[in-house]
Amino acid sequence: MNAIETKGLTKRYGDLTAVNGLDLTVRQGELFALLGVNGAGKTTTIKMLSCLTRPTDGDALLLGKSVNREPEEVKMLLAVSPQETAVAPKLSVAENLELMAGISGANKAETKRRLDALSAQFGLAEVLKRPAGKLSGGWQRRLSIAMALILEPKILFLDEPTLGLDVLARSALWDVIRSLKGNMTIILTTHYMEEAEALSDRIGVMGAGHLLRVGTADELKAATGAETLENAFIALAKEATK
Amino acid sequence: MKHALLLAKRNAKEILRDPLNLCFGLGFPLVLLGLLTAIQANVPKELFPLDQLTPGIAVFGLAFMSLFSATLISRDRTSALLLRLYTTPLRPLDYIIGYMLPMVPIALAQSAITLLFGLILGLAWTPNLLLCLLVTVPVGWIFIGIGLLCGSLLTDKQVGGICGALLTNLTGWFAGIWFDVELVGGFFKTVSNILPFYHGTELARAAYAGTLGSALSHLWVVLAWAAAMLALAVWAFLHQMKKN
């Protein structure tokens, strides 16, 4: 069974079609990057897949569960780490994680097990008791991803996870994301081409609400005759606006 | 319900750990009470009798509940914490309870502390003080409803202006705490009678004086406003939730 399968997924806001008949398949355990210029339809696609907004047409199946018919079941399968840090600032790091674990239905013992594991994986031990709002941007992003992971999702959505981070913080976060590969399906949206190339198994390029092309970074380069992923992306994006 | 309680616990922590909240919400009404009592002690005319002032300040202090809850919700919206939570199995009712529930004991505690401070300043103790505390609960619901409403519709900057400045001023001016609304009369009296604050003050004063039976008209107005504000707040929250 595929992790994600969309069939004619469409979202219209009045006269504007944000996503137009999207047919996309993401395999289980895959890290799939979604690229696109602003307004290409990435965010709307993620919103539909994570049950934040209902499709106007079409459907998406997440591990066989429909976002239209079974949104509650779908929500049990996924977690989202939004572009903004999305942490509770006055709560400590541990309390933020405990809150999310509690929401997923974990009891006290299970919460502690998950918290200990994530604390070790993300190197959060030294900041566990600090208020989340007092952490640096890089640490807040780590916490944000850990808050998504403590839900133990089968599918993880990472929306611009390294936006605004310095080189070191970005590199540290890449290591964290690499460590997750294979354990769950990850959908990554990013504006950084090198990030998509370094982390993802496959890349989908969106433009004007359509899925323009799907493939590995090398396949996209070969298809457009470009030497870099950035040039391949520019070629595809320009084609979409013609 | 478990989810709602988890969220309520988190929200209570966020509010109580904010030093500005404690300073303004709790400290400011107490400073006012102390200051006006000190003024009263130095003037021969009875301007601010404690039995009138203390219940009034208890009602005024509740205006800060709107600021607390509205700020929290609007910040949760802008920081995308709410967006994150919308992708979890939490249901709409969990959010409503989660944001409203912690405000009830906080509002009650604030009124209790104000009344207690009144006792320290010389307010006479009578069992009616407990009744006075009890009638501040529905007044608190009005402000909690306004907080949820504003937090759902406004940005945190707008919340600061609307709930922090406008609402506290409206409450201060139209609650009849520092001067007699009947004496001022005219437009001022009309507005005071339309808004719920004056009725809240009169209700609290009547409860303390042991004349609650004669103040039932104020109670109905307060309950009607509380019901309307809470209903509007729930609608606004669900509306912004759908919009997201």
Side-chain angles (χ1 to χ4, degrees), chain A residues 47 50 52 72 75-76 78-82 84-92 95 99-100 102-106 144-145 147-148 151, chain B residues 2-3 6-7 9-11 13-15 17-19 75-76 78-91 241-244:
Chain A
K47 278 187 169 181
S50 54
L52 281 170
E72 297 305 320
K75 284 181 177 182
M76 302 292 282
L78 64 88
V80 177
S81 179
E84 302 85 351
T85 43
V87 299
K90 295 280 188 294
L91 261 55
S92 70
E95 286 171 332
L99 170 71
M100 297 308 290
I103 285 171
S104 76
S144 180
I145 296 176
M147 284 169 73
L151 298 169
Chain B
K2 191 188 155 202
H3 286 153
L6 273 170
L7 189 60
K9 195 174 153 191
R10 173 264 165 179
N11 291 337
K13 283 180 183 172
E14 286 279 345
I15 291 167
R17 286 179 186 175
D18 191 333
R75 279 190 187 154
D76 284 352
T78 47
S79 76
L81 184 71
L82 262 177
L83 196 74
R84 179 198 288 281
L85 293 175
Y86 290 158
T87 64
T88 68
L90 287 182
R91 292 166 187 275
M241 194 177 174
K242 205 176 165 189
K243 220 171 96 180
N244 270 312

Short mmCIF file of all heavy atoms in Angstrom, two decimals, chain A residues 47 50 52 72 75-76 78-82 84-92 95 99-100 102-106 144-145 147-148 151, chain B residues 2-3 6-7 9-11 13-15 17-19 75-76 78-91 241-244:
data_model
loop_
_atom_site.label_atom_id
_atom_site.label_comp_id
_atom_site.label_asym_id
_atom_site.label_seq_id
_atom_site.Cartn_x
_atom_site.Cartn_y
_atom_site.Cartn_z
N LYS A 47 -2.19 21.15 3.11
CA LYS A 47 -3.38 21.39 3.93
C LYS A 47 -4.47 20.35 3.67
O LYS A 47 -5.14 19.89 4.59
CB LYS A 47 -3.94 22.80 3.68
CG LYS A 47 -3.22 23.88 4.45
CD LYS A 47 -3.94 25.21 4.29
CE LYS A 47 -3.38 26.23 5.28
NZ LYS A 47 -4.06 27.54 5.17
N SER A 50 -3.33 16.98 5.12
CA SER A 50 -3.34 16.90 6.59
C SER A 50 -4.71 17.26 7.16
O SER A 50 -4.83 17.54 8.36
CB SER A 50 -2.26 17.81 7.16
OG SER A 50 -2.40 19.12 6.68
N LEU A 52 -6.57 19.81 6.95
CA LEU A 52 -6.82 21.18 7.40
C LEU A 52 -7.86 21.86 6.52
O LEU A 52 -8.54 22.77 6.95
CB LEU A 52 -5.53 22.00 7.39
CG LEU A 52 -4.60 21.78 8.57
CD1 LEU A 52 -3.26 22.45 8.34
CD2 LEU A 52 -5.22 22.26 9.87
N GLU A 72 -10.78 11.74 10.67
CA GLU A 72 -10.33 11.46 12.04
C GLU A 72 -9.26 10.36 12.04
O GLU A 72 -8.28 10.44 12.77
CB GLU A 72 -11.52 11.05 12.93
CG GLU A 72 -12.57 12.14 13.09
CD GLU A 72 -12.01 13.46 13.60
OE1 GLU A 72 -11.15 13.43 14.49
OE2 GLU A 72 -12.41 14.53 13.08
N LYS A 75 -6.00 11.69 10.65
CA LYS A 75 -5.27 12.51 11.63
C LYS A 75 -4.47 11.65 12.61
O LYS A 75 -3.49 12.13 13.18
CB LYS A 75 -6.25 13.41 12.39
CG LYS A 75 -6.74 14.59 11.58
CD LYS A 75 -7.68 15.45 12.41
CE LYS A 75 -8.13 16.68 11.65
NZ LYS A 75 -9.01 17.53 12.46
N MET A 76 -4.92 10.43 12.81
CA MET A 76 -4.17 9.54 13.72
C MET A 76 -2.87 9.06 13.08
O MET A 76 -1.99 8.56 13.77
CB MET A 76 -5.02 8.30 14.07
CG MET A 76 -6.35 8.61 14.73
SD MET A 76 -6.16 9.29 16.39
CE MET A 76 -5.80 7.81 17.29
N LEU A 78 -0.89 10.95 10.92
CA LEU A 78 0.06 11.99 10.47
C LEU A 78 0.44 12.96 11.57
O LEU A 78 -0.19 13.03 12.62
CB LEU A 78 -0.54 12.75 9.28
CG LEU A 78 -1.81 13.56 9.51
CD1 LEU A 78 -1.50 14.98 9.99
CD2 LEU A 78 -2.61 13.64 8.22
N ALA A 79 1.49 13.69 11.30
CA ALA A 79 1.88 14.82 12.15
C ALA A 79 2.46 15.89 11.24
O ALA A 79 3.03 15.59 10.19
CB ALA A 79 2.90 14.39 13.19
N VAL A 80 2.29 17.13 11.67
CA VAL A 80 2.77 18.26 10.86
C VAL A 80 3.72 19.11 11.70
O VAL A 80 3.44 19.42 12.85
CB VAL A 80 1.57 19.14 10.41
CG1 VAL A 80 2.07 20.34 9.62
CG2 VAL A 80 0.60 18.33 9.56
N SER A 81 4.84 19.46 11.11
CA SER A 81 5.71 20.45 11.73
C SER A 81 5.62 21.70 10.85
O SER A 81 6.21 21.77 9.78
CB SER A 81 7.15 19.94 11.78
OG SER A 81 7.97 20.91 12.34
N PRO A 82 4.82 22.69 11.28
CA PRO A 82 4.58 23.85 10.41
C PRO A 82 5.83 24.70 10.20
O PRO A 82 6.81 24.57 10.93
CB PRO A 82 3.52 24.65 11.18
CG PRO A 82 3.03 23.78 12.26
CD PRO A 82 4.12 22.81 12.55
N GLU A 84 6.17 27.86 10.78
CA GLU A 84 6.43 28.62 12.00
C GLU A 84 6.82 27.61 13.08
O GLU A 84 6.52 26.44 12.96
CB GLU A 84 5.16 29.38 12.43
CG GLU A 84 4.62 30.34 11.39
CD GLU A 84 3.70 29.69 10.38
OE1 GLU A 84 3.62 28.44 10.36
OE2 GLU A 84 3.10 30.41 9.58
N THR A 85 7.46 28.11 14.14
CA THR A 85 7.97 27.14 15.11
C THR A 85 6.86 26.39 15.85
O THR A 85 7.04 25.24 16.23
CB THR A 85 8.91 27.83 16.12
OG1 THR A 85 8.32 29.05 16.50
CG2 THR A 85 10.26 28.05 15.51
N ALA A 86 5.72 27.05 16.05
CA ALA A 86 4.54 26.38 16.60
C ALA A 86 4.81 25.64 17.91
O ALA A 86 4.49 24.46 18.04
CB ALA A 86 3.94 25.44 15.56
N VAL A 87 5.40 26.35 18.86
CA VAL A 87 5.61 25.75 20.18
C VAL A 87 4.86 26.61 21.21
O VAL A 87 4.51 27.75 20.94
CB VAL A 87 7.11 25.69 20.56
CG1 VAL A 87 7.88 24.83 19.57
CG2 VAL A 87 7.73 27.09 20.63
N ALA A 88 4.61 26.01 22.38
CA ALA A 88 3.99 26.78 23.46
C ALA A 88 5.12 27.47 24.22
O ALA A 88 5.90 26.79 24.90
CB ALA A 88 3.20 25.85 24.38
N PRO A 89 5.24 28.80 24.12
CA PRO A 89 6.46 29.48 24.57
C PRO A 89 6.73 29.44 26.06
O PRO A 89 7.87 29.41 26.49
CB PRO A 89 6.26 30.92 24.09
CG PRO A 89 4.81 31.08 23.88
CD PRO A 89 4.28 29.74 23.50
N LYS A 90 5.68 29.47 26.88
CA LYS A 90 5.90 29.50 28.33
C LYS A 90 6.05 28.09 28.92
O LYS A 90 6.38 27.94 30.09
CB LYS A 90 4.74 30.23 29.03
CG LYS A 90 4.63 31.69 28.67
CD LYS A 90 5.63 32.50 29.47
CE LYS A 90 5.43 33.99 29.30
NZ LYS A 90 5.69 34.50 27.94
N LEU A 91 5.76 27.09 28.13
CA LEU A 91 5.95 25.71 28.60
C LEU A 91 7.39 25.30 28.38
O LEU A 91 8.04 25.76 27.43
CB LEU A 91 5.03 24.77 27.82
CG LEU A 91 3.71 24.35 28.49
CD1 LEU A 91 2.92 25.57 28.90
CD2 LEU A 91 2.89 23.46 27.59
N SER A 92 7.88 24.43 29.25
CA SER A 92 9.24 23.94 29.05
C SER A 92 9.25 23.00 27.84
O SER A 92 8.18 22.59 27.35
CB SER A 92 9.72 23.20 30.29
OG SER A 92 9.02 21.98 30.42
N GLU A 95 7.49 19.90 28.75
CA GLU A 95 6.02 20.06 28.82
C GLU A 95 5.40 20.14 27.43
O GLU A 95 4.29 19.64 27.21
CB GLU A 95 5.69 21.32 29.62
CG GLU A 95 5.90 21.15 31.11
CD GLU A 95 5.78 22.45 31.89
OE1 GLU A 95 6.05 23.53 31.31
OE2 GLU A 95 5.47 22.40 33.09
N LEU A 99 2.66 17.50 26.26
CA LEU A 99 1.34 17.93 25.77
C LEU A 99 0.96 17.17 24.50
O LEU A 99 -0.14 16.62 24.39
CB LEU A 99 1.36 19.44 25.49
CG LEU A 99 0.14 20.01 24.76
CD1 LEU A 99 -1.09 20.02 25.66
CD2 LEU A 99 0.40 21.44 24.28
N MET A 100 1.90 17.12 23.56
CA MET A 100 1.60 16.45 22.29
C MET A 100 1.43 14.94 22.49
O MET A 100 0.57 14.33 21.86
CB MET A 100 2.71 16.73 21.27
CG MET A 100 2.86 18.18 20.87
SD MET A 100 1.34 18.98 20.33
CE MET A 100 1.06 18.18 18.76
N GLY A 102 0.33 13.49 25.15
CA GLY A 102 -0.99 13.31 25.78
C GLY A 102 -2.10 13.39 24.75
O GLY A 102 -3.05 12.60 24.80
N ILE A 103 -1.97 14.31 23.81
CA ILE A 103 -2.99 14.46 22.77
C ILE A 103 -3.08 13.20 21.90
O ILE A 103 -4.14 12.81 21.44
CB ILE A 103 -2.70 15.72 21.92
CG1 ILE A 103 -3.08 16.97 22.73
CG2 ILE A 103 -3.43 15.70 20.59
CD1 ILE A 103 -2.65 18.28 22.13
N SER A 104 -1.92 12.53 21.73
CA SER A 104 -1.94 11.30 20.92
C SER A 104 -2.48 10.12 21.71
O SER A 104 -2.60 9.02 21.18
CB SER A 104 -0.54 10.99 20.40
OG SER A 104 0.24 10.44 21.45
N GLY A 105 -2.79 10.35 23.00
CA GLY A 105 -3.39 9.28 23.80
C GLY A 105 -2.40 8.47 24.61
O GLY A 105 -2.77 7.47 25.22
N ALA A 106 -1.13 8.90 24.62
CA ALA A 106 -0.12 8.14 25.36
C ALA A 106 -0.33 8.32 26.87
O ALA A 106 -0.63 9.42 27.33
CB ALA A 106 1.27 8.63 24.97
N SER A 144 10.14 21.70 17.50
CA SER A 144 8.93 21.64 16.67
C SER A 144 8.81 20.29 15.96
O SER A 144 7.73 19.69 15.92
CB SER A 144 8.96 22.78 15.65
OG SER A 144 7.82 22.75 14.84
N ILE A 145 9.93 19.82 15.43
CA ILE A 145 9.90 18.51 14.76
C ILE A 145 9.70 17.40 15.78
O ILE A 145 8.93 16.46 15.55
CB ILE A 145 11.20 18.30 13.93
CG1 ILE A 145 11.27 19.35 12.81
CG2 ILE A 145 11.23 16.89 13.33
CD1 ILE A 145 12.53 19.30 11.99
N MET A 147 8.07 17.63 18.50
CA MET A 147 6.66 17.65 18.90
C MET A 147 5.78 16.91 17.90
O MET A 147 4.75 16.35 18.26
CB MET A 147 6.17 19.10 19.04
CG MET A 147 6.65 19.77 20.32
SD MET A 147 6.34 21.55 20.31
CE MET A 147 4.56 21.60 20.56
N ALA A 148 6.19 16.95 16.64
CA ALA A 148 5.44 16.19 15.63
C ALA A 148 5.75 14.70 15.78
O ALA A 148 4.86 13.86 15.70
CB ALA A 148 5.82 16.68 14.23
N LEU A 151 4.14 12.20 18.38
CA LEU A 151 2.82 11.62 18.04
C LEU A 151 3.00 10.23 17.40
O LEU A 151 2.03 9.54 17.16
CB LEU A 151 2.07 12.54 17.08
CG LEU A 151 1.70 13.94 17.59
CD1 LEU A 151 1.22 14.81 16.44
CD2 LEU A 151 0.62 13.87 18.65
N LYS B 2 -10.56 14.35 27.90
CA LYS B 2 -9.15 14.27 28.33
C LYS B 2 -8.30 15.27 27.54
O LYS B 2 -7.45 15.96 28.09
CB LYS B 2 -8.66 12.83 28.10
CG LYS B 2 -7.32 12.56 28.74
CD LYS B 2 -6.79 11.20 28.32
CE LYS B 2 -5.28 11.18 28.43
NZ LYS B 2 -4.65 10.17 27.60
N HIS B 3 -8.58 15.33 26.25
CA HIS B 3 -7.84 16.26 25.39
C HIS B 3 -8.08 17.71 25.80
O HIS B 3 -7.16 18.52 25.85
CB HIS B 3 -8.26 16.08 23.93
CG HIS B 3 -7.72 14.83 23.32
ND1 HIS B 3 -8.34 14.19 22.29
CD2 HIS B 3 -6.62 14.10 23.60
CE1 HIS B 3 -7.63 13.12 21.95
NE2 HIS B 3 -6.59 13.05 22.74
N LEU B 6 -6.16 18.54 28.88
CA LEU B 6 -4.73 18.72 28.57
C LEU B 6 -4.47 20.12 28.05
O LEU B 6 -3.52 20.79 28.45
CB LEU B 6 -4.31 17.71 27.50
CG LEU B 6 -3.87 16.33 27.94
CD1 LEU B 6 -3.74 15.41 26.73
CD2 LEU B 6 -2.55 16.40 28.69
N LEU B 7 -5.33 20.54 27.14
CA LEU B 7 -5.17 21.87 26.55
C LEU B 7 -5.44 22.95 27.61
O LEU B 7 -4.73 23.96 27.66
CB LEU B 7 -6.14 22.03 25.37
CG LEU B 7 -5.97 23.27 24.51
CD1 LEU B 7 -4.59 23.36 23.90
CD2 LEU B 7 -7.03 23.31 23.40
N LYS B 9 -4.95 22.72 30.80
CA LYS B 9 -3.79 22.76 31.71
C LYS B 9 -2.66 23.57 31.08
O LYS B 9 -2.03 24.40 31.73
CB LYS B 9 -3.33 21.32 31.97
CG LYS B 9 -2.41 21.16 33.15
CD LYS B 9 -2.16 19.68 33.38
CE LYS B 9 -0.83 19.43 34.03
NZ LYS B 9 -0.45 18.02 34.04
N ARG B 10 -2.44 23.31 29.81
CA ARG B 10 -1.38 24.06 29.10
C ARG B 10 -1.71 25.55 29.09
O ARG B 10 -0.85 26.40 29.34
CB ARG B 10 -1.25 23.51 27.67
CG ARG B 10 -0.32 24.30 26.79
CD ARG B 10 -1.05 25.31 25.96
NE ARG B 10 -0.16 26.30 25.38
CZ ARG B 10 -0.53 27.28 24.60
NH1 ARG B 10 -1.79 27.42 24.28
NH2 ARG B 10 0.33 28.14 24.13
N ASN B 11 -2.97 25.89 28.81
CA ASN B 11 -3.34 27.29 28.71
C ASN B 11 -3.22 28.00 30.05
O ASN B 11 -2.79 29.16 30.11
CB ASN B 11 -4.77 27.42 28.16
CG ASN B 11 -4.84 26.99 26.71
OD1 ASN B 11 -3.83 27.01 26.01
ND2 ASN B 11 -6.01 26.58 26.25
N LYS B 13 -1.11 27.27 32.40
CA LYS B 13 0.33 27.49 32.63
C LYS B 13 0.83 28.69 31.84
O LYS B 13 1.59 29.51 32.34
CB LYS B 13 1.12 26.24 32.21
CG LYS B 13 1.03 25.10 33.21
CD LYS B 13 1.84 23.93 32.71
CE LYS B 13 1.73 22.72 33.63
NZ LYS B 13 2.35 21.54 33.04
N GLU B 14 0.40 28.78 30.58
CA GLU B 14 0.86 29.90 29.73
C GLU B 14 0.45 31.24 30.34
O GLU B 14 1.23 32.19 30.32
CB GLU B 14 0.25 29.79 28.32
CG GLU B 14 0.84 28.71 27.46
CD GLU B 14 2.17 29.08 26.80
OE1 GLU B 14 2.52 30.27 26.77
OE2 GLU B 14 2.86 28.16 26.33
N ILE B 15 -0.76 31.31 30.86
CA ILE B 15 -1.24 32.57 31.42
C ILE B 15 -0.55 32.88 32.74
O ILE B 15 -0.06 33.99 32.95
CB ILE B 15 -2.78 32.52 31.61
CG1 ILE B 15 -3.48 32.51 30.24
CG2 ILE B 15 -3.27 33.68 32.45
CD1 ILE B 15 -4.94 32.14 30.28
N ARG B 17 2.23 31.88 33.92
CA ARG B 17 3.69 32.06 33.88
C ARG B 17 4.11 33.37 33.20
O ARG B 17 5.29 33.62 33.03
CB ARG B 17 4.34 30.88 33.13
CG ARG B 17 4.33 29.62 33.97
CD ARG B 17 4.93 28.47 33.22
NE ARG B 17 4.80 27.24 33.96
CZ ARG B 17 5.16 26.05 33.50
NH1 ARG B 17 5.69 25.95 32.30
NH2 ARG B 17 5.00 24.98 34.24
N ASP B 18 3.11 34.15 32.79
CA ASP B 18 3.43 35.42 32.16
C ASP B 18 3.45 36.51 33.23
O ASP B 18 2.40 36.87 33.78
CB ASP B 18 2.38 35.74 31.09
CG ASP B 18 2.79 36.91 30.22
OD1 ASP B 18 3.56 37.76 30.72
OD2 ASP B 18 2.35 36.98 29.07
N PRO B 19 4.62 37.06 33.56
CA PRO B 19 4.68 38.06 34.63
C PRO B 19 3.84 39.30 34.34
O PRO B 19 3.31 39.92 35.26
CB PRO B 19 6.17 38.40 34.71
CG PRO B 19 6.80 37.87 33.48
CD PRO B 19 5.93 36.77 32.97
N ARG B 75 -2.00 34.59 19.84
CA ARG B 75 -0.60 34.16 19.69
C ARG B 75 -0.52 32.71 19.22
O ARG B 75 0.35 32.36 18.43
CB ARG B 75 0.13 34.30 21.03
CG ARG B 75 0.57 35.72 21.28
CD ARG B 75 1.48 35.81 22.47
NE ARG B 75 1.77 37.20 22.78
CZ ARG B 75 2.09 37.65 23.98
NH1 ARG B 75 2.18 36.83 24.99
NH2 ARG B 75 2.33 38.93 24.17
N ASP B 76 -1.41 31.89 19.71
CA ASP B 76 -1.43 30.49 19.26
C ASP B 76 -1.77 30.39 17.78
O ASP B 76 -1.32 29.48 17.08
CB ASP B 76 -2.43 29.67 20.08
CG ASP B 76 -1.89 29.33 21.46
OD1 ASP B 76 -0.70 29.61 21.71
OD2 ASP B 76 -2.66 28.80 22.28
N THR B 78 -1.09 32.92 15.50
CA THR B 78 0.02 33.45 14.69
C THR B 78 1.26 32.55 14.76
O THR B 78 2.04 32.49 13.81
CB THR B 78 0.40 34.89 15.09
OG1 THR B 78 0.50 34.94 16.51
CG2 THR B 78 -0.61 35.90 14.64
N SER B 79 1.46 31.87 15.88
CA SER B 79 2.65 31.00 15.99
C SER B 79 2.41 29.65 15.31
O SER B 79 3.30 28.82 15.27
CB SER B 79 3.00 30.77 17.45
OG SER B 79 2.09 29.84 18.03
N ALA B 80 1.19 29.43 14.83
CA ALA B 80 0.81 28.18 14.15
C ALA B 80 0.69 27.00 15.10
O ALA B 80 0.55 25.86 14.67
CB ALA B 80 1.75 27.83 13.00
N LEU B 81 0.73 27.26 16.41
CA LEU B 81 0.51 26.16 17.36
C LEU B 81 -0.89 25.59 17.17
O LEU B 81 -1.11 24.38 17.20
CB LEU B 81 0.70 26.64 18.81
CG LEU B 81 0.58 25.52 19.85
CD1 LEU B 81 1.78 24.58 19.78
CD2 LEU B 81 0.46 26.07 21.26
N LEU B 82 -1.85 26.50 16.94
CA LEU B 82 -3.22 26.02 16.72
C LEU B 82 -3.31 25.21 15.43
O LEU B 82 -4.00 24.20 15.38
CB LEU B 82 -4.18 27.21 16.66
CG LEU B 82 -4.94 27.51 17.95
CD1 LEU B 82 -5.81 28.74 17.80
CD2 LEU B 82 -5.80 26.34 18.40
N LEU B 83 -2.58 25.67 14.42
CA LEU B 83 -2.58 24.94 13.14
C LEU B 83 -2.06 23.51 13.37
O LEU B 83 -2.61 22.54 12.84
CB LEU B 83 -1.69 25.66 12.14
CG LEU B 83 -1.86 25.27 10.69
CD1 LEU B 83 -3.15 25.85 10.13
CD2 LEU B 83 -0.69 25.78 9.86
N ARG B 84 -1.00 23.40 14.16
CA ARG B 84 -0.44 22.09 14.48
C ARG B 84 -1.51 21.23 15.19
O ARG B 84 -1.70 20.06 14.87
CB ARG B 84 0.77 22.25 15.41
CG ARG B 84 1.40 20.93 15.83
CD ARG B 84 2.26 21.12 17.05
NE ARG B 84 3.50 21.83 16.82
CZ ARG B 84 4.60 21.28 16.28
NH1 ARG B 84 4.59 20.02 15.92
NH2 ARG B 84 5.68 21.99 16.12
N LEU B 85 -2.20 21.87 16.14
CA LEU B 85 -3.20 21.12 16.91
C LEU B 85 -4.39 20.71 16.04
O LEU B 85 -5.01 19.68 16.27
CB LEU B 85 -3.67 21.94 18.12
CG LEU B 85 -2.61 22.19 19.19
CD1 LEU B 85 -3.15 23.11 20.28
CD2 LEU B 85 -2.13 20.88 19.82
N TYR B 86 -4.70 21.55 15.02
CA TYR B 86 -5.83 21.20 14.13
C TYR B 86 -5.57 19.92 13.35
O TYR B 86 -6.49 19.32 12.81
CB TYR B 86 -6.11 22.34 13.14
CG TYR B 86 -6.69 23.59 13.76
CD1 TYR B 86 -6.58 24.82 13.11
CD2 TYR B 86 -7.35 23.56 14.97
CE1 TYR B 86 -7.10 25.98 13.68
CE2 TYR B 86 -7.86 24.70 15.54
CZ TYR B 86 -7.73 25.91 14.89
OH TYR B 86 -8.25 27.06 15.44
N THR B 87 -4.30 19.53 13.23
CA THR B 87 -4.00 18.30 12.49
C THR B 87 -3.98 17.08 13.42
O THR B 87 -3.66 15.99 12.98
CB THR B 87 -2.64 18.39 11.77
OG1 THR B 87 -1.60 18.52 12.75
CG2 THR B 87 -2.59 19.57 10.82
N THR B 88 -4.29 17.29 14.69
CA THR B 88 -4.34 16.18 15.65
C THR B 88 -5.80 15.77 15.84
O THR B 88 -6.71 16.47 15.37
CB THR B 88 -3.75 16.60 17.01
OG1 THR B 88 -4.63 17.57 17.60
CG2 THR B 88 -2.36 17.19 16.87
N PRO B 89 -6.03 14.68 16.57
CA PRO B 89 -7.44 14.25 16.74
C PRO B 89 -8.27 15.14 17.67
O PRO B 89 -9.39 14.76 17.99
CB PRO B 89 -7.29 12.84 17.33
CG PRO B 89 -5.91 12.41 17.04
CD PRO B 89 -5.09 13.65 17.03
N LEU B 90 -7.78 16.29 18.10
CA LEU B 90 -8.60 17.18 18.94
C LEU B 90 -9.87 17.58 18.19
O LEU B 90 -9.82 17.87 17.00
CB LEU B 90 -7.83 18.45 19.32
CG LEU B 90 -6.71 18.34 20.35
CD1 LEU B 90 -6.10 19.72 20.60
CD2 LEU B 90 -7.19 17.77 21.65
N ARG B 91 -10.98 17.63 18.93
CA ARG B 91 -12.25 18.02 18.32
C ARG B 91 -12.58 19.49 18.68
O ARG B 91 -12.04 20.00 19.66
CB ARG B 91 -13.38 17.11 18.83
CG ARG B 91 -13.25 15.69 18.32
CD ARG B 91 -14.14 14.74 19.07
NE ARG B 91 -13.87 13.37 18.66
CZ ARG B 91 -14.40 12.77 17.61
NH1 ARG B 91 -15.25 13.43 16.84
NH2 ARG B 91 -14.10 11.53 17.32
N MET B 241 -11.44 28.50 12.77
CA MET B 241 -10.91 27.13 12.66
C MET B 241 -11.17 26.59 11.24
O MET B 241 -10.30 26.01 10.62
CB MET B 241 -11.63 26.26 13.70
CG MET B 241 -10.99 24.93 13.96
SD MET B 241 -11.90 24.08 15.26
CE MET B 241 -11.05 22.52 15.17
N LYS B 242 -12.39 26.85 10.77
CA LYS B 242 -12.76 26.40 9.43
C LYS B 242 -11.95 27.14 8.37
O LYS B 242 -11.51 26.55 7.38
CB LYS B 242 -14.26 26.66 9.22
CG LYS B 242 -14.91 25.75 8.19
CD LYS B 242 -16.40 26.01 8.13
CE LYS B 242 -16.97 25.39 6.89
NZ LYS B 242 -18.36 25.79 6.66
N LYS B 243 -11.73 28.43 8.63
CA LYS B 243 -10.99 29.26 7.69
C LYS B 243 -9.54 28.78 7.53
O LYS B 243 -8.95 28.90 6.47
CB LYS B 243 -11.01 30.72 8.17
CG LYS B 243 -11.19 31.72 7.05
CD LYS B 243 -11.43 33.10 7.62
CE LYS B 243 -10.15 33.88 7.70
NZ LYS B 243 -10.32 35.22 8.24
N ASN B 244 -9.00 28.24 8.61
CA ASN B 244 -7.62 27.77 8.58
C ASN B 244 -7.47 26.50 7.78
O ASN B 244 -6.41 26.03 7.52
CB ASN B 244 -7.09 27.55 9.99
CG ASN B 244 -6.45 28.80 10.54
OD1 ASN B 244 -5.64 29.43 9.88
ND2 ASN B 244 -6.84 29.19 11.73
#
